[in-house]
PDB file of all heavy atoms in Angstrom:
ATOM      1  N   ALA A 398     -69.746 -25.750  40.997  1.00 98.00           N
ATOM      2  CA  ALA A 398     -70.623 -24.743  41.500  1.00 98.00           C
ATOM      3  C   ALA A 398     -71.697 -24.393  40.468  1.00 98.00           C
ATOM      4  O   ALA A 398     -72.971 -24.220  40.938  1.00 98.00           O
ATOM      5  CB  ALA A 398     -69.912 -23.421  41.775  1.00 98.00           C
ATOM      6  N   LEU A 399     -71.344 -24.361  39.228  1.00 98.00           N
ATOM      7  CA  LEU A 399     -72.270 -24.148  38.178  1.00 98.00           C
ATOM      8  C   LEU A 399     -73.404 -25.224  38.079  1.00 98.00           C
ATOM      9  O   LEU A 399     -74.655 -24.935  37.948  1.00 98.00           O
ATOM     10  CB  LEU A 399     -71.677 -24.064  36.861  1.00 98.00           C
ATOM     11  CG  LEU A 399     -72.249 -23.413  35.772  1.00 98.00           C
ATOM     12  CD1 LEU A 399     -72.358 -21.872  35.853  1.00 98.00           C
ATOM     13  CD2 LEU A 399     -71.462 -23.649  34.358  1.00 98.00           C
ATOM     14  N   LEU A 400     -73.078 -26.424  38.467  1.00 98.00           N
ATOM     15  CA  LEU A 400     -73.958 -27.464  38.479  1.00 98.00           C
ATOM     16  C   LEU A 400     -74.626 -27.793  39.898  1.00 98.00           C
ATOM     17  O   LEU A 400     -75.414 -28.645  40.079  1.00 98.00           O
ATOM     18  CB  LEU A 400     -73.364 -28.832  37.953  1.00 98.00           C
ATOM     19  CG  LEU A 400     -72.737 -28.711  36.463  1.00 98.00           C
ATOM     20  CD1 LEU A 400     -72.211 -30.028  36.093  1.00 98.00           C
ATOM     21  CD2 LEU A 400     -73.798 -28.102  35.476  1.00 98.00           C
ATOM     22  N   GLY A 401     -74.146 -27.001  40.846  1.00 98.00           N
ATOM     23  CA  GLY A 401     -74.820 -27.070  42.194  1.00 98.00           C
ATOM     24  C   GLY A 401     -74.252 -28.198  43.095  1.00 98.00           C
ATOM     25  O   GLY A 401     -74.694 -28.391  44.171  1.00 98.00           O
ATOM     26  N   THR A 402     -73.086 -28.857  42.747  1.00 97.00           N
ATOM     27  CA  THR A 402     -72.519 -29.893  43.518  1.00 97.00           C
ATOM     28  C   THR A 402     -71.568 -29.285  44.445  1.00 97.00           C
ATOM     29  O   THR A 402     -70.972 -30.025  45.392  1.00 97.00           O
ATOM     30  CB  THR A 402     -71.876 -30.936  42.690  1.00 97.00           C
ATOM     31  OG1 THR A 402     -70.889 -30.477  41.756  1.00 97.00           O
ATOM     32  CG2 THR A 402     -72.862 -31.793  41.870  1.00 97.00           C
ATOM     33  N   LYS A 403     -71.278 -28.028  44.374  1.00 97.00           N
ATOM     34  CA  LYS A 403     -70.440 -27.347  45.294  1.00 97.00           C
ATOM     35  C   LYS A 403     -71.040 -25.965  45.559  1.00 97.00           C
ATOM     36  O   LYS A 403     -71.646 -25.366  44.642  1.00 97.00           O
ATOM     37  CB  LYS A 403     -69.067 -27.203  44.578  1.00 97.00           C
ATOM     38  CG  LYS A 403     -67.828 -26.871  45.598  1.00 97.00           C
ATOM     39  CD  LYS A 403     -66.611 -26.872  44.692  1.00 97.00           C
ATOM     40  CE  LYS A 403     -65.343 -26.214  45.458  1.00 97.00           C
ATOM     41  NZ  LYS A 403     -64.349 -26.005  44.604  1.00 97.00           N
ATOM     42  N   GLN A 404     -70.961 -25.502  46.848  1.00 96.00           N
ATOM     43  CA  GLN A 404     -71.521 -24.251  47.103  1.00 96.00           C
ATOM     44  C   GLN A 404     -70.588 -23.052  47.079  1.00 96.00           C
ATOM     45  O   GLN A 404     -71.015 -21.878  47.438  1.00 96.00           O
ATOM     46  CB  GLN A 404     -72.209 -24.369  48.540  1.00 96.00           C
ATOM     47  CG  GLN A 404     -73.397 -25.266  48.629  1.00 96.00           C
ATOM     48  CD  GLN A 404     -74.509 -24.766  47.704  1.00 96.00           C
ATOM     49  OE1 GLN A 404     -75.002 -23.636  47.791  1.00 96.00           O
ATOM     50  NE2 GLN A 404     -75.024 -25.705  46.759  1.00 96.00           N
ATOM     51  N   THR A 405     -69.392 -23.251  46.750  1.00 97.00           N
ATOM     52  CA  THR A 405     -68.491 -22.092  46.669  1.00 97.00           C
ATOM     53  C   THR A 405     -68.044 -21.993  45.351  1.00 97.00           C
ATOM     54  O   THR A 405     -67.735 -22.910  44.531  1.00 97.00           O
ATOM     55  CB  THR A 405     -67.296 -22.233  47.622  1.00 97.00           C
ATOM     56  OG1 THR A 405     -66.715 -23.582  47.453  1.00 97.00           O
ATOM     57  CG2 THR A 405     -67.663 -22.139  49.070  1.00 97.00           C
ATOM     58  N   GLY A 406     -67.812 -20.744  44.936  1.00 98.00           N
ATOM     59  CA  GLY A 406     -67.224 -20.355  43.625  1.00 98.00           C
ATOM     60  C   GLY A 406     -66.029 -19.639  43.641  1.00 98.00           C
ATOM     61  O   GLY A 406     -64.888 -20.079  44.145  1.00 98.00           O
ATOM     62  N   ARG A 407     -65.848 -18.487  43.140  1.00 98.00           N
ATOM     63  CA  ARG A 407     -64.703 -17.709  43.071  1.00 98.00           C
ATOM     64  C   ARG A 407     -64.365 -17.173  44.546  1.00 98.00           C
ATOM     65  O   ARG A 407     -65.211 -16.989  45.375  1.00 98.00           O
ATOM     66  CB  ARG A 407     -64.931 -16.361  42.307  1.00 98.00           C
ATOM     67  CG  ARG A 407     -64.627 -16.684  40.775  1.00 98.00           C
ATOM     68  CD  ARG A 407     -64.651 -15.274  39.998  1.00 98.00           C
ATOM     69  NE  ARG A 407     -63.987 -15.666  38.725  1.00 98.00           N
ATOM     70  CZ  ARG A 407     -62.779 -15.305  38.426  1.00 98.00           C
ATOM     71  NH1 ARG A 407     -62.116 -14.532  39.207  1.00 98.00           N
ATOM     72  NH2 ARG A 407     -62.240 -15.676  37.334  1.00 98.00           N
ATOM     73  N   GLU A 408     -62.996 -17.063  44.712  1.00 98.00           N
ATOM     74  CA  GLU A 408     -62.594 -16.452  45.946  1.00 98.00           C
ATOM     75  C   GLU A 408     -62.457 -14.839  45.748  1.00 98.00           C
ATOM     76  O   GLU A 408     -62.788 -14.059  46.591  1.00 98.00           O
ATOM     77  CB  GLU A 408     -61.158 -16.909  46.442  1.00 98.00           C
ATOM     78  CG  GLU A 408     -60.763 -16.439  47.809  1.00 98.00           C
ATOM     79  CD  GLU A 408     -59.429 -16.956  48.251  1.00 98.00           C
ATOM     80  OE1 GLU A 408     -58.819 -17.842  47.534  1.00 98.00           O
ATOM     81  OE2 GLU A 408     -59.033 -16.602  49.415  1.00 98.00           O
ATOM     82  N   PHE A 409     -61.893 -14.501  44.542  1.00 98.00           N
ATOM     83  CA  PHE A 409     -61.667 -13.118  44.190  1.00 98.00           C
ATOM     84  C   PHE A 409     -62.336 -12.716  42.902  1.00 98.00           C
ATOM     85  O   PHE A 409     -62.516 -13.523  42.038  1.00 98.00           O
ATOM     86  CB  PHE A 409     -60.222 -12.763  44.048  1.00 98.00           C
ATOM     87  CG  PHE A 409     -59.329 -13.066  45.285  1.00 98.00           C
ATOM     88  CD1 PHE A 409     -58.664 -14.214  45.358  1.00 98.00           C
ATOM     89  CD2 PHE A 409     -59.404 -12.144  46.367  1.00 98.00           C
ATOM     90  CE1 PHE A 409     -57.859 -14.455  46.471  1.00 98.00           C
ATOM     91  CE2 PHE A 409     -58.591 -12.500  47.490  1.00 98.00           C
ATOM     92  CZ  PHE A 409     -57.802 -13.520  47.624  1.00 98.00           C
ATOM     93  N   LEU A 410     -62.773 -11.582  42.788  1.00 98.00           N
ATOM     94  CA  LEU A 410     -63.407 -10.967  41.447  1.00 98.00           C
ATOM     95  C   LEU A 410     -63.246  -9.438  41.362  1.00 98.00           C
ATOM     96  O   LEU A 410     -63.554  -8.688  42.303  1.00 98.00           O
ATOM     97  CB  LEU A 410     -64.992 -11.289  41.506  1.00 98.00           C
ATOM     98  CG  LEU A 410     -65.629 -10.892  40.319  1.00 98.00           C
ATOM     99  CD1 LEU A 410     -65.265 -11.731  38.970  1.00 98.00           C
ATOM    100  CD2 LEU A 410     -67.255 -11.081  40.397  1.00 98.00           C
ATOM    101  N   VAL A 411     -62.696  -9.102  40.157  1.00 98.00           N
ATOM    102  CA  VAL A 411     -62.568  -7.616  39.867  1.00 98.00           C
ATOM    103  C   VAL A 411     -63.822  -7.287  39.303  1.00 98.00           C
ATOM    104  O   VAL A 411     -64.358  -7.992  38.421  1.00 98.00           O
ATOM    105  CB  VAL A 411     -61.416  -7.467  38.975  1.00 98.00           C
ATOM    106  CG1 VAL A 411     -61.346  -6.036  38.627  1.00 98.00           C
ATOM    107  CG2 VAL A 411     -60.131  -8.007  39.581  1.00 98.00           C
ATOM    108  N   GLU A 412     -64.350  -6.132  39.596  1.00 97.00           N
ATOM    109  CA  GLU A 412     -65.660  -5.552  39.052  1.00 97.00           C
ATOM    110  C   GLU A 412     -65.272  -4.329  38.300  1.00 97.00           C
ATOM    111  O   GLU A 412     -64.839  -3.194  38.853  1.00 97.00           O
ATOM    112  CB  GLU A 412     -66.673  -5.366  40.202  1.00 97.00           C
ATOM    113  CG  GLU A 412     -67.123  -6.609  40.921  1.00 97.00           C
ATOM    114  CD  GLU A 412     -68.117  -6.370  41.990  1.00 97.00           C
ATOM    115  OE1 GLU A 412     -68.645  -5.277  42.134  1.00 97.00           O
ATOM    116  OE2 GLU A 412     -68.414  -7.322  42.764  1.00 97.00           O
ATOM    117  N   GLN A 413     -65.367  -4.335  36.954  1.00 95.00           N
ATOM    118  CA  GLN A 413     -64.853  -3.472  36.113  1.00 95.00           C
ATOM    119  C   GLN A 413     -66.165  -2.512  35.624  1.00 95.00           C
ATOM    120  O   GLN A 413     -67.213  -3.008  35.506  1.00 95.00           O
ATOM    121  CB  GLN A 413     -64.203  -3.951  34.865  1.00 95.00           C
ATOM    122  CG  GLN A 413     -63.705  -2.986  33.833  1.00 95.00           C
ATOM    123  CD  GLN A 413     -63.141  -3.693  32.614  1.00 95.00           C
ATOM    124  OE1 GLN A 413     -62.781  -4.849  32.613  1.00 95.00           O
ATOM    125  NE2 GLN A 413     -62.841  -2.884  31.564  1.00 95.00           N
ATOM    126  N   SER A 414     -65.915  -1.183  35.539  1.00 90.00           N
ATOM    127  CA  SER A 414     -67.066  -0.377  34.936  1.00 90.00           C
ATOM    128  C   SER A 414     -66.926  -0.335  33.328  1.00 90.00           C
ATOM    129  O   SER A 414     -67.532  -1.123  32.708  1.00 90.00           O
ATOM    130  CB  SER A 414     -67.041   0.937  35.509  1.00 90.00           C
ATOM    131  OG  SER A 414     -65.805   1.642  35.308  1.00 90.00           O
ATOM    132  N   ASN A 415     -66.063   0.570  32.867  1.00 83.00           N
ATOM    133  CA  ASN A 415     -66.013   0.679  31.237  1.00 83.00           C
ATOM    134  C   ASN A 415     -64.577   0.131  30.882  1.00 83.00           C
ATOM    135  O   ASN A 415     -64.186  -0.929  30.812  1.00 83.00           O
ATOM    136  CB  ASN A 415     -66.414   1.935  30.903  1.00 83.00           C
ATOM    137  CG  ASN A 415     -66.531   1.979  29.311  1.00 83.00           C
ATOM    138  OD1 ASN A 415     -66.561   0.926  28.744  1.00 83.00           O
ATOM    139  ND2 ASN A 415     -66.877   3.120  28.793  1.00 83.00           N
ATOM    140  N   GLY A 416     -63.758   1.345  30.642  1.00 76.00           N
ATOM    141  CA  GLY A 416     -62.539   1.008  30.022  1.00 76.00           C
ATOM    142  C   GLY A 416     -61.358   0.538  30.860  1.00 76.00           C
ATOM    143  O   GLY A 416     -60.390   0.054  30.290  1.00 76.00           O
ATOM    144  N   GLY A 417     -61.476   0.676  32.119  1.00 80.00           N
ATOM    145  CA  GLY A 417     -60.393   0.259  32.973  1.00 80.00           C
ATOM    146  C   GLY A 417     -60.545   0.758  34.410  1.00 80.00           C
ATOM    147  O   GLY A 417     -61.660   0.756  34.924  1.00 80.00           O
ATOM    148  N   ALA A 418     -59.420   1.064  35.133  1.00 83.00           N
ATOM    149  CA  ALA A 418     -59.588   1.448  36.536  1.00 83.00           C
ATOM    150  C   ALA A 418     -60.388   2.812  36.648  1.00 83.00           C
ATOM    151  O   ALA A 418     -60.491   3.562  35.759  1.00 83.00           O
ATOM    152  CB  ALA A 418     -58.131   1.696  37.049  1.00 83.00           C
ATOM    153  N   PRO A 419     -60.955   3.034  37.821  1.00 89.00           N
ATOM    154  CA  PRO A 419     -60.773   2.262  39.059  1.00 89.00           C
ATOM    155  C   PRO A 419     -61.782   1.004  39.097  1.00 89.00           C
ATOM    156  O   PRO A 419     -62.800   1.189  38.400  1.00 89.00           O
ATOM    157  CB  PRO A 419     -61.093   3.273  40.158  1.00 89.00           C
ATOM    158  CG  PRO A 419     -62.084   4.331  39.546  1.00 89.00           C
ATOM    159  CD  PRO A 419     -61.676   4.334  38.108  1.00 89.00           C
ATOM    160  N   PHE A 420     -61.530   0.144  39.938  1.00 95.00           N
ATOM    161  CA  PHE A 420     -62.329  -1.149  40.029  1.00 95.00           C
ATOM    162  C   PHE A 420     -62.985  -1.274  41.282  1.00 95.00           C
ATOM    163  O   PHE A 420     -62.459  -0.854  42.300  1.00 95.00           O
ATOM    164  CB  PHE A 420     -61.312  -2.288  39.809  1.00 95.00           C
ATOM    165  CG  PHE A 420     -60.577  -2.235  38.535  1.00 95.00           C
ATOM    166  CD1 PHE A 420     -59.141  -1.984  38.489  1.00 95.00           C
ATOM    167  CD2 PHE A 420     -61.209  -2.597  37.285  1.00 95.00           C
ATOM    168  CE1 PHE A 420     -58.508  -1.948  37.437  1.00 95.00           C
ATOM    169  CE2 PHE A 420     -60.494  -2.475  36.079  1.00 95.00           C
ATOM    170  CZ  PHE A 420     -59.077  -2.266  36.138  1.00 95.00           C
ATOM    171  N   GLY A 421     -63.950  -2.132  41.329  1.00 96.00           N
ATOM    172  CA  GLY A 421     -64.483  -2.741  42.546  1.00 96.00           C
ATOM    173  C   GLY A 421     -63.798  -4.087  42.733  1.00 96.00           C
ATOM    174  O   GLY A 421     -63.344  -4.686  41.762  1.00 96.00           O
ATOM    175  N   PHE A 422     -63.739  -4.632  43.899  1.00 98.00           N
ATOM    176  CA  PHE A 422     -62.915  -5.765  44.089  1.00 98.00           C
ATOM    177  C   PHE A 422     -63.745  -6.601  45.237  1.00 98.00           C
ATOM    178  O   PHE A 422     -64.133  -6.129  46.175  1.00 98.00           O
ATOM    179  CB  PHE A 422     -61.568  -5.530  44.538  1.00 98.00           C
ATOM    180  CG  PHE A 422     -60.643  -6.757  44.492  1.00 98.00           C
ATOM    181  CD1 PHE A 422     -60.619  -7.615  43.375  1.00 98.00           C
ATOM    182  CD2 PHE A 422     -59.899  -7.039  45.629  1.00 98.00           C
ATOM    183  CE1 PHE A 422     -59.741  -8.704  43.462  1.00 98.00           C
ATOM    184  CE2 PHE A 422     -59.124  -8.173  45.657  1.00 98.00           C
ATOM    185  CZ  PHE A 422     -59.118  -8.927  44.566  1.00 98.00           C
ATOM    186  N   ARG A 423     -63.844  -7.987  44.898  1.00 98.00           N
ATOM    187  CA  ARG A 423     -64.430  -8.781  45.897  1.00 98.00           C
ATOM    188  C   ARG A 423     -63.580  -9.835  46.384  1.00 98.00           C
ATOM    189  O   ARG A 423     -62.768 -10.332  45.705  1.00 98.00           O
ATOM    190  CB  ARG A 423     -65.740  -9.597  45.218  1.00 98.00           C
ATOM    191  CG  ARG A 423     -66.847  -8.759  44.946  1.00 98.00           C
ATOM    192  CD  ARG A 423     -67.767  -8.585  46.157  1.00 98.00           C
ATOM    193  NE  ARG A 423     -68.220  -9.778  46.717  1.00 98.00           N
ATOM    194  CZ  ARG A 423     -69.262 -10.475  46.273  1.00 98.00           C
ATOM    195  NH1 ARG A 423     -69.987 -10.055  45.401  1.00 98.00           N
ATOM    196  NH2 ARG A 423     -69.673 -11.575  46.934  1.00 98.00           N
ATOM    197  N   HIS A 424     -63.540 -10.048  47.753  1.00 98.00           N
ATOM    198  CA  HIS A 424     -62.802 -11.221  48.342  1.00 98.00           C
ATOM    199  C   HIS A 424     -63.962 -11.850  49.263  1.00 98.00           C
ATOM    200  O   HIS A 424     -64.219 -11.433  50.258  1.00 98.00           O
ATOM    201  CB  HIS A 424     -61.626 -10.678  49.230  1.00 98.00           C
ATOM    202  CG  HIS A 424     -60.877 -11.876  49.821  1.00 98.00           C
ATOM    203  ND1 HIS A 424     -60.036 -11.751  50.802  1.00 98.00           N
ATOM    204  CD2 HIS A 424     -61.024 -13.157  49.640  1.00 98.00           C
ATOM    205  CE1 HIS A 424     -59.587 -12.895  51.209  1.00 98.00           C
ATOM    206  NE2 HIS A 424     -60.249 -13.808  50.429  1.00 98.00           N
TER     207      HIS A 424
END
Side-chain angles (χ1 to χ4, degrees):
L399 200 65
L400 303 185
T402 53
K403 198 173 161 192
Q404 288 299 307
T405 52
R407 279 189 159 253
E408 185 178 5
F409 299 101
L410 180 66
V411 179
E412 298 179 5
Q413 181 180 348
S414 56
N415 188 8
F420 302 109
F422 189 54
R423 288 281 303 273
H424 180 194

